[in-house]
Amino acid sequence: MNNNFPEIRWEFIGDYVEAFINWLDTTFAGLFEFIRVISFRTINGIEGFLSFLPWWVLLIIIFLLGWRFKSVFSGALYAFFIFLVGTFGLWDVLLTTIAIVLTSVFISLLIGIPLGVLMAFSKKFSFMMRPILDAMQTMPSFVYLIPAIFFFGLGNVSAVFATLIYSLPPVIRLTELAIRNVDKEVIESAESFGSSKLQMLKKVQLPQALPTIMAGVNQTTMMALAMVVIASMVGAKGLGEQVLISINRIDISLGFEAGISIVFLAIIIDRVTGGIADRFQKHRGTD
Amino acid sequence: MEPKIKIEHVSKIFGPRPKSVIPMIKEGVSKDEILAKTNHTVGVYDASLEVNEGETFVIMGLSGSGKSTLIRCFNLLNNPTYGAINVDGENIIEYNAKKLKTYRQEKISMVFQHFGLFSHRTVLGNVEYGLEIKNYSKEKRQRIAMENIENVGLKGYENKYPDELSGGMQQRVGLARSLANDPDILLMDEPFSALDPLIRREMQLELLDIQDRLKKTIIFITHDVNEAFKIGDRVAVMKDGKVVQVGTPEEILEAPANDYISNFIKDIDRSKILQAQNIMIQPNALVSLKDGLKVAIREMEENGVSSAFVVDRQRRLQGIVTIDDVVEGIKEKQSLEDVLIKDVTTIDKQEYVQDIIPKALEAKFPLAVINENNKLEGLILRVHVLSSLVSEQETEDNTVSES
Ligand SMILES: Nc1ncnc2c1ncn2[C@@H]1O[C@H](COP(=O)(O)OP(=O)(O)OP(=O)(O)O)[C@@H](O)[C@H]1O
Ligand SMILES: [Mg+2]
């Protein structure tokens, strides 16, 4: 280098990080195994179920979902979108992508909601978690691929893990916010009836927070979908992999087909989960 | 009788070190001074009072005077910084978590200013909440909830959500919800303030009606004097966290403890508070039916009046005689019966001044105040009615300006 900036070799920090990751890997081996098994089973379960269904049943389900949460027209449009993806010859990879996305969302909620609740209840915990969440959200998502491979090897589970880290923070944040924002008088009225902490959480705080949490599900799902291509770099199958292949081969037609399929999926998932969230908004209260 | 609730020297201080302010309270340092010196807010300042069983006890005061802070001490939504709150002889501040839970589940419930309803639950779901918390069976709690929903006139709305109801109906849900637990004590923090005047009046009457049937001990907060005096058996006035006067509406109206209270009650409509028995005077000239006309004349002359009520031996009102008729009657050698005017305007002793005014304006003779047995209790002259509408304060002001 031609400037005179003093150079310090910081490799030892990298060494520490590596040692730390190793330590994590051995200490929490059980946990990682647990995550691996759960993710693996869930992905395979969903994928197996979807491919067990005749293709037209899935189209009908998509139509019904669109109809129920949006309109008849939307339902028909969404079914048509999926039909198009099928005609591209991408049916199987579409199912894999859906399975990965749903699994990521499912696990995000499973971990994120309890953490959000804990943060709402404990100022200390919230204070501790905040910088971690900030880091998780601002770190370029490519970085997550490294520990993902390290812990889970190449494949769909790594994809879920990387997606998880990326999509978890909004769930946690929204849950905390939603629970903290429940109307004070409503909390007090529950308290004045002699509710226990658990009853309060189950019967009042969570149900009251649900509309906001549902809005979070919409966000999480979109983020999971956004990770699809990136995650294919750690060997995830699905539409993302097709995009990756098309880049390598400079195959414009495959790239377009896979890309537009992801867009279709995004539109459908966004509209349907958005519609579900709106349902929950209905009896939010008067103020 | 032992009071239902008795609070002693209760103070509630907000700030980082509330307890450190207690010595200043004991010395009587003012709320403002404490705020300036220590940056602590005194919500309730050394309050002591007693509430009797079955009584509607109203706490009134301007905004920020500490009403909410005080009422929330009764179910420990606020933990007092100092003092004792005895309910049925037990100091609830010493309750452990379990006892407190039972106390809240069984003995006391609260109605909130903005209703505090659970927006995710139906009317039925709201009303049964307190019972659900106590693990009542679904069938039992729904039966009780339905009874209470009917009681507040919401039958048919049980499956609606709160946001589908008007404000008045929402507060009925709030009321039904707190009554479903069948508590001894009902706390109501400005329950009708968020409602428009017409609905508000309706709810006040409804509350009086419910109270007539259920005889709960009610602590009711308002900053509306008319509301306070309308529904309160006794009223406490708060200022700067202190309880500055406690008494029946009439007592407070007749003898406001200080300028703050007189100011407070200045714009009250006295005609809706005062009853005939509050403004009547003792009948000075009374004639018995068996007395002669001569006796009647003497009675009137001695008292310097021109008419006298006639009663029988049980003091039941028979009519009135005027001095002119009596003088005439003596000339004509008539009896008392002959000159007796039976057509006298009578007023029940519990009638409100606002209803007496038109009668007083029409009547030719003094109004006779009677009780339910037709017994004469007092009389009211037109001047009494008019002067009752002018508060003490104003009378003083007038005297000053006239002299
Ligand atoms: N949680 C709190 N923290 C700090 N100060 C408080 C708190 N609650 C109440 N106060 C203060 O205590 C005082 C009394 O408030 P309070 O709400 O009891 O008044 P209020 O008589 O109910 O008034 P309003 O008619 O407006 O409801 C006020 O000075 C208020 O600022
Ligand atoms: Mg208040």
Side-chain angles (χ1 to χ4, degrees):
Chain A
M1 262 180 251
N2 47 18
N3 62 14
N4 291 326
F5 202 88
E7 194 178 342
I8 305 170
R9 309 293 297 182
W10 286 105
E11 272 108 355
F12 65 95
I13 289 203
D15 293 346
Y16 279 129
V17 173
E18 203 180 320
F20 176 67
I21 298 281
N22 274 321
W23 174 79
L24 277 182
D25 195 25
T26 42
T27 322
F28 294 104
L31 178 70
F32 289 124
E33 185 58 18
F34 177 74
I35 296 178
R36 203 185 63 76
V37 170
I38 293 231
S39 320
F40 191 75
R41 291 249 172 95
T42 319
I43 299 171
N44 281 4
I46 296 177
E47 200 181 355
F49 175 71
L50 290 178
S51 39
F52 160 80
L53 294 176
W55 60 270
W56 48 270
V57 173
L58 193 65
L59 289 190
I60 291 177
I61 292 177
I62 300 270
F63 168 72
L64 290 177
L65 278 176
W67 181 19
R68 175 148 166 66
F69 293 109
K70 282 296 190 196
S71 62
V72 184
F73 174 72
S74 309
L77 189 66
Y78 301 162
F80 177 66
F81 282 168
I82 295 296
F83 178 75
L84 272 182
V85 175
T87 60
F88 296 154
L90 295 174
W91 186 258
D92 288 337
V93 288
L94 170 76
L95 298 189
T96 309
T97 296
I98 293 179
I100 293 178
V101 169
L102 288 184
T103 306
S104 307
V105 171
F106 173 71
I107 299 181
S108 294
L109 297 181
L110 208 66
I111 301 176
I113 293 178
L115 281 180
V117 169
L118 281 181
M119 282 177 71
F121 282 162
S122 157
K123 275 217 172 83
K124 254 194 209 143
F125 186 61
S126 169
F127 190 73
M128 232 176 59
M129 284 294 286
R130 235 167 259 173
I132 302 179
L133 293 180
D134 285 338
M136 283 166 81
Q137 271 184 309
T138 42
M139 187 85 79
S141 34
F142 286 95
V143 178
Y144 301 138
L145 299 178
I146 306 163
I149 302 176
F150 195 85
F151 294 135
F152 303 108
L154 289 173
N156 291 344
V157 174
S158 282
V160 167
F161 178 79
T163 308
L164 215 55
I165 298 186
Y166 181 60
S167 63
L168 204 49
V171 180
I172 301 178
R173 286 224 154 100
L174 276 171
T175 305
E176 183 194 6
L177 186 79
I179 290 204
R180 278 191 197 276
N181 279 357
V182 175
D183 186 70
K184 202 168 136 267
E185 222 181 56
V186 171
I187 297 295
E188 280 181 349
S189 77
E191 203 180 338
S192 74
F193 282 105
S195 316
S196 68
K197 279 232 159 57
L198 194 66
Q199 286 171 324
M200 174 88 91
L201 181 66
K202 256 178 32 192
K203 293 177 193 289
V204 181
Q205 286 168 304
L206 276 181
Q208 287 276 316
L210 205 57
T212 311
I213 296 177
M214 282 312 293
V217 171
N218 173 276
Q219 253 190 58
T220 306
T221 319
M222 294 311 287
M223 291 175 78
L225 200 58
M227 275 294 281
V228 153
V229 177
I230 296 172
S232 64
M233 294 171 77
V234 290
K237 308 276 179 267
L239 289 169
E241 190 191 25
Q242 300 301 311
V243 173
L244 210 61
I245 293 172
S246 72
I247 295 174
N248 288 337
R249 295 193 199 143
I250 320 191
D251 181 342
I252 295 181
S253 105
L254 176 63
F256 177 76
E257 285 170 1
I260 197 83
S261 300
I262 293 178
V263 172
F264 286 159
L265 199 56
I267 293 175
I268 296 171
I269 290 180
D270 180 47
R271 297 295 188 275
V272 171
T273 52
I276 295 175
D278 285 348
R279 287 290 150 105
F280 280 97
Q281 296 285 343
K282 204 169 155 209
H283 296 296
R284 280 224 75 163
T286 41
D287 39 25
Chain B
M1 196 179 65
E2 177 83 354
K4 180 86 183 163
I5 305 173
K6 181 175 183 183
I7 71 170
E8 294 165 313
H9 304 291
V10 168
S11 292
K12 173 68 187 178
I13 291 140
F14 298 103
R17 288 174 57 236
K19 284 246 190 293
S20 67
V21 180
I22 294 297
M24 297 179 85
I25 297 239
K26 285 186 174 158
E27 283 165 29
V29 182
S30 79
K31 170 176 169 156
D32 290 339
E33 212 170 311
I34 290 177
L35 181 65
K37 276 191 186 152
T38 68
N39 211 17
H40 282 70
T41 308
V42 183
V44 175
Y45 194 120
D46 196 32
S48 299
L49 37 91
E50 294 177 2
V51 180
N52 300 318
E53 174 122 44
E55 164 176 66
T56 306
F57 189 88
V58 174
I59 301 173
M60 70 174 180
L62 299 176
S63 186
S65 57
K67 307 179 297 289
S68 298
T69 310
L70 179 60
I71 203 176
R72 292 150 49 85
C73 288
F74 289 104
N75 58 357
L76 295 190
L77 281 180
N78 268 346
N79 233 322
T81 314
Y82 185 85
I85 299 181
N86 298 299
V87 178
D88 291 329
E90 287 181 32
N91 185 0
I92 61 166
I93 296 174
E94 284 160 9
Y95 279 175
N96 58 20
K98 185 154 166 263
K99 273 190 150 173
L100 175 61
K101 216 169 82 178
T102 318
Y103 169 70
R104 284 172 172 168
Q105 288 179 354
E106 305 292 342
K107 220 176 234 179
I108 194 160
S109 57
M110 187 156 178
V111 178
F112 293 82
Q113 179 171 5
H114 303 287
F115 323 137
L117 298 180
F118 307 124
S119 53
H120 61 286
R121 287 174 162 239
T122 60
V123 169
L124 182 65
N126 268 280
V127 176
E128 70 179 342
Y129 182 83
L131 306 167
E132 196 178 315
I133 288 300
K134 292 196 276 186
N135 295 320
Y136 277 31
S137 75
K138 186 168 182 168
E139 185 218 3
K140 186 172 173 195
R141 64 180 195 241
Q142 294 203 339
R143 181 173 50 75
I144 300 176
M146 282 309 296
E147 279 168 21
N148 281 282
I149 289 172
E150 270 173 51
N151 262 341
V152 297
L154 281 183
K155 195 173 181 208
Y157 289 92
E158 58 270 10
N159 292 322
K160 293 261 185 261
Y161 282 86
D163 63 356
E164 295 170 309
L165 304 180
S166 69
M169 289 160 104
Q170 290 189 34
Q171 195 54 301
R172 279 165 202 268
V173 178
L175 193 56
R177 183 177 64 171
S178 46
L179 288 174
N181 259 354
D182 195 23
D184 296 358
I185 305 163
L186 199 57
L187 304 176
M188 309 181 84
D189 188 353
E190 303 200 27
F192 307 146
S193 303
L195 308 175
D196 66 59
L198 218 68
I199 307 292
R200 187 169 176 168
R201 213 161 308 145
E202 199 178 291
M203 293 293 287
Q204 289 166 351
L205 293 179
E206 181 127 357
L207 179 68
L208 287 173
D209 188 48
I210 288 175
Q211 174 63 344
D212 245 12
R213 271 181 286 141
L214 303 181
K215 301 268 184 296
K216 303 284 183 198
T217 305
I218 299 180
I219 300 179
F220 187 105
I221 286 187
T222 180
H223 55 234
D224 174 354
V225 201
N226 285 305
E227 186 170 72
F229 284 13
K230 182 168 180 179
I231 60 174
D233 294 322
R234 285 193 307 144
V235 176
V237 185
M238 286 188 77
K239 183 197 179 198
D240 294 339
K242 290 185 187 163
V243 175
V244 284
Q245 188 174 12
V246 182
T248 63
E250 293 80 17
E251 282 166 6
I252 292 181
L253 209 48
E254 288 313 308
N258 58 32
D259 286 354
Y260 174 77
I261 298 171
S262 355
N263 254 330
F264 214 105
I265 57 183
K266 205 167 58 193
D267 50 19
I268 191 170
D269 191 345
R270 298 167 66 92
S271 70
K272 287 182 189 147
I273 309 301
L274 293 178
Q275 297 174 330
Q277 54 187 341
N278 302 124
I279 63 168
M280 70 186 186
I281 56 169
Q282 287 307 312
N284 30 25
L286 262 192
V287 186
S288 173
L289 204 51
K290 59 180 197 319
D291 291 335
L293 290 175
K294 293 255 169 62
V295 179
I297 286 214
R298 186 153 38 81
E299 266 292 300
M300 286 186 261
E301 274 174 355
E302 267 173 17
N303 290 292
V305 291
S306 60
S307 63
F309 284 114
V310 179
V311 292
D312 69 5
R313 212 172 313 152
Q314 276 85 43
R315 216 181 143 101
R316 281 191 302 240
L317 182 67
Q318 302 299 316
I320 195 169
V321 289
T322 66
I323 192 137
D324 295 342
D325 288 352
V326 174
V327 172
E328 192 75 11
I330 290 175
K331 275 191 211 149
E332 314 248 320
K333 300 224 171 348
Q334 288 173 317
S335 76
L336 189 68
E337 290 252 31
D338 297 326
V339 297
L340 184 66
I341 302 166
K342 293 203 166 140
D343 178 26
V344 187
T345 315
T346 60
I347 285 170
D348 188 273
K349 67 175 182 176
Q350 291 188 0
E351 212 166 306
Y352 286 102
V353 170
Q354 66 171 350
D355 303 320
I356 303 175
I357 294 171
K359 295 180 187 169
L361 292 180
E362 275 171 24
K364 292 193 288 284
F365 310 113
L367 307 174
V369 181
I370 54 173
N371 70 7
E372 56 280 4
N373 299 322
N374 209 23
K375 244 162 109 175
L376 185 68
E377 296 247 326
L379 67 86
I380 294 177
L381 298 174
R382 197 184 302 190
V383 56
H384 297 142
V385 177
L386 296 178
S387 69
S388 75
L389 297 177
V390 185
S391 68
E392 310 286 316
Q393 187 71 43
E394 284 169 77
T395 335
E396 272 165 36
D397 289 350
N398 290 347
T399 357
V400 172
S401 55
E402 274 164 26
S403 57

